[in-house]
Every structure is written in C-alpha cells, then in structure tokens.
Amino acid sequence: MMKFTKWNFIFLLGGIIVYIADIGVDFWVASKYFYQGQYFWAVLILCFRGLSSLVTQIFSYHWFKNDWNGTHPGKLDWIFLVHFFHCGIFIRYWFALKYGCQAAFRQDSSGDVSETDPPNIIQKQAIDVLTDINMLRVFKTFLETTPQLFVQIYVLMEYNNHNFYQYAAIIISFCGISFSMVDYQISLRKSLPDKEELEALPKLVYLFYKLLTITSWILSISLITLLSVRSSVIVLILLWSCGFAWTLKQHTTFCKSKEMEYLYRTVVGIILLFTFFNIKGRKTKAYISIYYATHTIVTVGILLVCLFWKPAVIEKVHLTIVSGLTVISLVLGLIFLAVYYKYFHPTTYCKQRTFFDEVDRRGGDNMEVGRFQNFIMQ
C-alpha cells in the first residue's frame, strides 16, 4: 500500500492556497467587469463560479451521506447546513489536513504491516479523503476554471484590451488546471493496487498532454465564437449531446439515486467538451482515438472557416499567431498523449466494477476500495 507522504501534505496545502486564490480572483475579475460596465461578462464569470460550487456541494454532501450510511444522523444535519452555505469543500479540507498530518508526520515507519493495522488505517483514511477532494476539484476544473479560461481568452481577443486582471485570471486558471491534473494523477496511482507512484517525468508528461490539448480546444472555440456566437453554441451543444449520449450508452452507475446519476451524466457531458476520460474503468483505445480525431477535425475545420469566411477577423486577432498556437499545442498535446499511454499509463483496470461501486469504506474490519479506485481518467 502506498503512503501519504510529506510531499503529499505540501501539495495539499498548495491546493488549498490555489483554491482560495481562485475564489478571490473570480470576484476580483467580476468586480472589474462591473466597474467597466461589462455586466454580461461579470455575471457569466459569477455564474460559472456558482454552478461549479452548487454541483460540487451536492456531490460532496451525498458522499458524506453514503459514507456515513446512517451512522452519524446528528452530524449529517450540520454537514447539510455547511454545504447549504457552499462551504462543504472546507470541511473536506479540514479532514484531509487532520488525517494527512497524522499519516505524514505522526506515523512511525515500522516495516510492513497489514492493512488492518492502525497506521495503515490512518494512511487509507488520508488517501481516501484526499482523493474525494481531487474528484470534486476535477468537477470544478471543467465546470468553472476551464470555461472561465475560455471567456478570458475570448474577451482578450474580442476587445483587444490588455489588463492586468485578465492576465492574472488566465494565470490562476492555468494554475488551477495544473494543480487539479497533478493532484488527480497522484491520487489515481495511490488508489490503484500494485502500482508504484509516478515520478516527476510521467507527471509532467500527463500534465502537458492535458494542458496542451485543452488549450488548443479553447483557442479553437474562442475563434469560432468570434465569427459567430450562434455557431459556437450549436457546436458546443452538439458535442455535449454526444458526450451525454455516450454516458447513457455506458450505463454508468456512479450514484445510488436516479436523479443524482443523471446529474452526474450531465456533468460528464460538460467535462467531455474539454477532455476525455474513461467513466467505466475499462480500456478505451478506440473511444479515445475517436474523441481526439473528432477534436482534430473540428479544430482544423474552425481554422479553415476563419481563414476563408471573414478576413477581417484575421487582422483583428492576428489569426496567423492564434492558429499557429492552436496547431502547435494540439500536435504537442497528442504527442504527449501518445508518450503517456505508451510508457506511463497505469494498466491495472478494475474488473467487472462500475464507476461508483460504493461501500462504507470507513467501517468494518476489511479495507474496501474507495470511490477513486474506478475513476480512471484517460
């Protein structure tokens, strides 16, 4: 079993700092837009913030409810109240700091012990709490941070206003995506049995694969939005519908209730607008090939439309530079993708298990697998 190390604790602290900074930057950027009279962009930024917070609070509360399984009825009341005021993530960070500190600093390294020994139970608790947080941060990344990055880049190209707060928002967005991707990968390896934790190089390869492919796609959508907002909305709705239909075809069972399951599938459809992941913990070579082939075709199509449809846009946003960055980031992202899957991707897949085969993992004598065991993002 892998250990919750001091470096993991440091990354946890860094994640908390980035999370709080991200909240502050959101309200700061929105206030700047309000001050400049750009009310639509201010409201849109806050809507992304509110949507991601609402969704993560709902999932977080239901996970508490499922984990405790009626064993803490009194505590569930105040847990609900905390989540009602959108502070549930801070409760999870508190548990992560508590268990993480015990696992990283107060456990003596005394050779190999069984998973039912107290030191390993604390290690398991620390890893489980952290992986739950990282799952929520993945939701937040693609419900808030990535769409906000798209908005900032679009506003920068559309109005050609170069303000400090816009660059700050873009930098914070990239930092948020980076921390989410790296933390996710660390937790993924820790939750897979018989797998060693990735070293620095594989983590960087995975990070660049995600960032570059997402960046290319955001630039492409920004360009088509400049040409026609209606066309951009149609493309995004069509792609979301394909992603949602794919989750229906996969018969996902992430949640215990039908309502929560459809909410989850809706969120998956939004995430699939920006990146691919395997929602069933199975090998998906064909699916991922189709996914990025489709993104490549759509990206090339957008660039060709921008080149031949409206020449005025070329002068306004320096299409040559933007299209060059789009192509370069896409090609490099696909190269990093191939390298990652060739050499670094965990090959241990969960057999005959659904995405959310949840049990009460904090009770009983045996140590069951956690939620993240089957969250095999590609």
Side-chain angles (χ1 to χ4, degrees), residues 37 50 239:
L239 292 175

Side-chain angles (χ1 to χ4, degrees), residues 219-278:
L219 291 174
S220 301
I221 296 300
S222 299
L223 284 175
I224 194 176
T225 305
L226 281 174
L227 294 179
S228 171
V229 175
R230 180 180 298 178
S231 299
S232 176
V233 172
I234 291 174
V235 169
L236 292 177
I237 291 178
L238 179 62
L239 292 175
W240 174 84
S241 300
C242 292
F244 182 75
W246 184 61
T247 63
L248 294 177
K249 183 178 180 297
Q250 294 296 304
H251 302 290
T252 60
T253 54
F254 180 77
C255 304
K256 292 185 176 180
S257 68
K258 183 179 297 185
E259 295 78 10
M260 288 297 298
E261 187 64 31
Y262 277 103
L263 174 61
Y264 160 69
R265 292 172 179 176
T266 302
V267 172
V268 167
I270 296 174
I271 297 175
L272 286 171
L273 289 176
F274 302 102
T275 193
F276 180 83
F277 66 95
N278 180 1

Side-chain angles (χ1 to χ4, degrees), residues 22-123:
D22 185 51
I23 296 176
V25 169
D26 286 345
F27 286 103
W28 178 44
V29 171
S31 67
K32 289 292 184 181
Y33 281 136
F34 270 116
Y35 180 76
Q36 295 177 357
Q38 297 177 320
Y39 303 116
F40 175 78
W41 301 118
V43 172
L44 191 60
I45 292 293
L46 295 178
C47 283
F48 284 137
R49 171 80 231 174
L51 174 64
S52 70
S53 180
L54 177 63
V55 171
T56 54
Q57 301 303 319
I58 291 174
F59 278 110
S60 177
Y61 173 73
H62 277 271
W63 292 349
F64 271 119
K65 188 176 179 180
N66 292 334
D67 289 346
W68 290 353
N69 197 22
T71 58
H72 303 81
K75 291 184 179 180
L76 272 180
D77 292 337
W78 71 265
I79 286 291
F80 173 81
L81 189 62
V82 171
H83 282 80
F84 180 80
F85 288 103
H86 290 246
C87 295
I89 190 68
F90 295 108
I91 295 294
R92 291 192 172 273
Y93 271 124
W94 162 251
F95 282 120
L97 290 172
K98 175 184 175 181
Y99 293 131
C101 182
Q102 293 176 359
F105 298 99
R106 298 180 185 176
Q107 293 294 317
D108 35 335
S109 53
S110 55
D112 295 331
V113 290
S114 69
E115 283 200 348
T116 56
D117 287 343
N120 267 27
I121 291 178
I122 295 177
Q123 288 282 341

Side-chain angles (χ1 to χ4, degrees), residues 4-17 97 100 104-105 130 179 183 186:
F4 187 95
T5 65
K6 295 179 181 179
W7 280 110
N8 296 140
F9 190 81
I10 293 174
F11 266 100
L12 173 62
L13 292 177
I16 296 174
I17 293 173
L97 290 172
F105 298 99
L130 183 60
F179 264 101
D183 288 346
I186 293 172

Side-chain angles (χ1 to χ4, degrees), residues 204-222:
L204 287 175
V205 171
Y206 179 84
L207 174 62
F208 285 129
Y209 143 53
K210 285 294 181 180
L211 280 181
L212 288 170
T213 53
I214 291 172
T215 299
S216 173
W217 183 241
I218 289 176
L219 291 174
S220 301
I221 296 300
S222 299

Side-chain angles (χ1 to χ4, degrees), residues 137-147 177 180-181 210 214 267 270-272 274-275 277 377:
R137 289 182 62 188
V138 167
F139 292 158
K140 176 184 178 297
T141 294
F142 296 104
L143 288 175
E144 176 193 344
T145 309
T146 308
I177 295 173
S180 176
M181 294 296 98
K210 285 294 181 180
I214 291 172
V267 172
I270 296 174
I271 297 175
L272 286 171
F274 302 102
T275 193
F277 66 95
M377 179 183 280

